[in-house]
Amino acid sequence: MRKLLTGVCDNVTKNIDKILLWKNSFHQVVPEGSVVLLAYNPTPSDIKTLEDNNIAFLNVSGEGTETVNNQRLTILSDFLRDYSKFYDVVFNTDVFDVAFLKDPFKKLDLAKYDIFVGGESMLHYQEPWNTDVMHKCFPEYLQATKDQEIYCSGVMAGRPLQLSKFLLDMVKTTLTSKKGHDIEDQAAMNIIIHQNDKSQDEKYRLKKFEITEDWCLHMAICGPTQFFESWGFKDRIKERYGITPDWKDYDIVHQFNRIPEIHKQIKDINGL
């Protein structure tokens, strides 16, 4: 099976250590996989940095009023569509704060599903940041999604063509935003998942991993950040799932750089 990891980033030279951790951790657990970075408006220095570090990349450009965070959706959708014949399954993730501890492809049941996302363990109404974005950008969906679990747009996987279509739907949704926040992609994704769940003819064969399945831990909510206990996340997770998540149990850890001691341990694991 032809496996790919990809993601979009800018300011490559400034962030090369983060990019190397993302790439090297993937190759530690998926040595046969490919990694292609989509370098956004790279400078000559950025290109030299990527070449010096043997990082395969595509030079992609963008301009206009949309943020890089939103523009990357179109970039990724186009890339996955155009290169779909070269890969069977792909991970599209954030680049600066994602690391791999175990092979995450092993849990992907491609016979039943085409797209895979991970839950953050909280319902929308229980988490202030996601509620705020939905309220400011897509107020018409605030009530409809308030009792839905939050799914994170920072780590997605699936078959390239289906994931390309899913990302294109996210683009179309962001275009309807009230532009009250500069990060809209996650809210857009959760709206699409809500619509998919409610549809009689499911548009996407979508697998939603829960934190008890040890696929991906999104640490902004699942701890131990400074908000893990003070905002009640720890108690809610314990009540709902009967666990306190341990990052070492997961295939993927996301947002680990918000906890300095865990960030250091993950760098040490990867010799960085």
Side-chain angles (χ1 to χ4, degrees), residues 26-76:
F26 180 77
H27 276 146
Q28 288 263 28
V29 297
V30 191
E32 77 281 14
S34 301
V35 177
V36 177
L37 183 74
L38 305 182
Y40 184 83
N41 291 341
T43 65
S45 175
D46 291 337
I47 291 172
K48 184 176 187 306
T49 297
L50 290 167
E51 290 173 344
D52 288 348
N53 285 279
N54 297 313
I55 298 172
F57 70 95
L58 284 181
N59 183 333
V60 296
S61 60
E63 56 185 16
T65 58
E66 286 289 337
T67 64
V68 175
N69 200 69
N70 283 351
Q71 287 190 52
R72 68 175 178 166
L73 302 177
T74 302
I75 291 167
L76 284 160

Side-chain angles (χ1 to χ4, degrees), residues 117-120 151-155 211 215-223 252-255:
V117 297
E120 294 197 1
Y151 298 99
C152 185
S153 61
V155 176
I211 60 169
W215 187 63
C216 182
L217 189 68
H218 302 289
M219 301 185 77
I221 288 179
C222 296
I252 310 162
V253 284
H254 178 215
Q255 301 157 335

Side-chain angles (χ1 to χ4, degrees), residues 9 44 108 126 128 155 158 172 204 218 222 243 258 267:
C9 81
L108 304 188
Q126 297 174 322
V155 176
K172 293 174 182 177
Y204 296 107
H218 302 289
C222 296
I243 64 168
R258 304 184 188 200
K267 287 175 68 176

Side-chain angles (χ1 to χ4, degrees), residues 72-249:
R72 68 175 178 166
L73 302 177
T74 302
I75 291 167
L76 284 160
S77 179
D78 290 348
F79 169 71
L80 293 176
R81 181 197 64 222
D82 294 344
Y83 287 79
S84 61
K85 65 182 179 180
F86 299 108
Y87 304 103
D88 300 305
V89 59
V90 58
F91 266 84
N92 154 44
T93 76
D94 291 346
V95 176
F96 295 162
D97 62 354
V98 169
F100 297 83
L101 303 180
K102 303 170 189 174
D103 184 348
F105 291 96
K106 291 181 178 180
K107 292 190 175 83
L108 304 188
D109 185 350
L110 293 165
K112 288 181 64 176
Y113 304 104
D114 297 317
I115 296 173
F116 305 83
V117 297
E120 294 197 1
S121 76
M122 291 294 114
L123 307 182
H124 273 79
Y125 81 89
Q126 297 174 322
E127 204 289 309
W129 186 87
N130 283 275
T131 296
D132 181 58
V133 176
M134 194 69 74
H135 172 70
K136 290 177 176 176
C137 296
F138 306 100
E140 66 272 30
Y141 290 100
L142 186 64
Q143 287 301 310
T145 59
K146 69 182 180 68
D147 293 320
Q148 173 182 295
E149 181 166 355
I150 300 160
Y151 298 99
C152 185
S153 61
V155 176
M156 290 183 270
R159 296 186 182 278
L161 276 179
Q162 284 81 358
L163 194 52
S164 172
K165 293 175 183 176
F166 188 76
L167 288 160
L168 187 58
D169 264 359
M170 289 173 64
V171 172
K172 293 174 182 177
T173 304
T174 62
L175 293 176
T176 70
S177 166
K178 306 298 183 187
K179 303 303 175 187
H181 200 285
D182 61 346
I183 300 176
E184 304 169 339
D185 61 316
Q186 183 154 300
M189 187 182 83
N190 278 276
I191 290 167
I192 293 166
I193 291 172
H194 168 74
Q195 293 171 331
N196 198 64
D197 288 346
K198 298 298 181 184
S199 173
Q200 290 185 343
D201 52 340
E202 193 177 46
K203 184 175 183 179
Y204 296 107
R205 299 196 309 163
L206 182 68
K207 166 65 177 176
K208 296 172 286 188
F209 283 102
E210 295 191 353
I211 60 169
T212 49
E213 295 179 271
D214 295 345
W215 187 63
C216 182
L217 189 68
H218 302 289
M219 301 185 77
I221 288 179
C222 296
T225 64
Q226 67 268 38
F227 305 113
F228 188 50
E229 294 193 35
S230 63
W231 286 14
F233 298 152
K234 181 179 179 180
D235 290 340
R236 289 192 182 114
I237 292 171
K238 185 72 173 176
E239 180 182 351
R240 184 176 179 186
Y241 295 103
I243 64 168
T244 299
D246 183 343
W247 64 273
K248 297 184 185 72
D249 293 335

